Amino acid sequence: MSRITETLTVGRVVGEVVDSFIPSVKLEVTYNSNTQVYNGHELMPSAITAKPRVEIGGDSMRSTYTLIMTDPDAPSPSDPHLREHLHWLVTNIPGTTDASFGKELIGYEIPKPVIGIHRFVFILFKQMKGRQTVKAPASRDHFNTRRFSEENDLGLPVAAVYFNAQRATAPRRR
């Protein structure tokens, strides 16, 4: 098992969100031009307010990808009854570019965890049919990455990365 899939398994991304897969494409997610997302690292809410830059390796410009950002812990990790909450969906991203070159089906929603530590997962799928029409889900809540992949013939992911975030504590007043 590669180190990447091992950290995704320990973080319960593999199992709860996606099935086991072999990463085959480079995926880099960066907030505010200097905050890189690494599996399991915690990011402060103030660092994730703007849409991140998502760079995709891929094998060529002829390959296209779908990017999903989801919160499997909504509304709280102890009671994730809205699992999964969809934060972002971009399709038809050309390989060797970034997500801004794709078609945004669901706009970026700023992560705002209220209770507990939430995982925010970026999942990348290679579109088997090249550029294709991907159906946008009706709701952000109760999103299911596996079902979405199945309904749109995306197969297993080719890359994933996640970070943790929790509500920022308010400064104490005296």
Side-chain angles (χ1 to χ4, degrees):
M1 183 183 298
S2 77
R3 177 150 165 64
I4 294 169
T5 54
E6 186 177 306
T7 56
L8 291 169
T9 301
V10 169
R12 298 179 336 272
V13 171
V14 170
E16 289 184 11
V17 181
V18 295
D19 293 325
S20 186
F21 68 97
I22 297 170
S24 58
V25 173
K26 182 179 172 185
L27 174 65
E28 287 186 1
V29 180
T30 309
Y31 280 95
N32 300 324
S33 73
N34 63 355
T35 305
Q36 181 87 28
V37 173
Y38 295 103
N39 284 328
H41 288 207
E42 184 168 350
L43 298 181
M44 300 304 295
S46 60
I48 55 178
T49 58
K51 186 187 306 184
R53 178 172 172 81
V54 179
E55 294 182 42
I56 297 166
D59 48 10
S60 75
M61 289 283 287
R62 285 182 236 149
S63 298
T64 54
Y65 298 88
T66 292
L67 176 73
I68 294 170
M69 180 187 178
T70 184
D71 175 1
D73 300 317
S76 78
S78 61
D79 183 22
H81 66 269
L82 297 178
R83 177 178 287 162
E84 303 164 33
H85 182 80
L86 181 62
H87 279 268
W88 199 22
L89 175 59
V90 184
T91 64
N92 294 321
I93 306 165
T96 68
T97 66
D98 67 68
S100 67
F101 288 93
K103 180 179 180 184
E104 191 174 69
L105 292 185
I106 302 291
Y108 181 75
E109 181 180 85
I110 299 168
K112 295 180 185 172
V114 179
I115 300 169
I117 300 170
H118 289 240
R119 296 165 292 163
F120 293 93
V121 187
F122 293 89
I123 306 137
L124 187 68
F125 292 92
K126 184 174 182 179
Q127 295 174 193
M128 302 301 175
K129 300 174 184 173
R131 287 196 173 276
Q132 66 186 68
T133 302
V134 174
K135 296 174 237 155
S139 169
R140 288 181 185 263
D141 290 328
H142 304 290
F143 181 77
N144 184 296
T145 300
R146 285 184 184 97
R147 185 174 58 240
F148 179 82
S149 170
E150 210 172 276
E151 290 170 353
N152 290 285
D153 296 320
L154 297 173
L156 289 172
V158 293
V161 65
Y162 80 100
F163 67 91
N164 297 316
Q166 61 184 312
R167 188 176 117 200
T169 56
R172 293 185 182 182
R173 295 184 179 179
R174 291 188 179 244

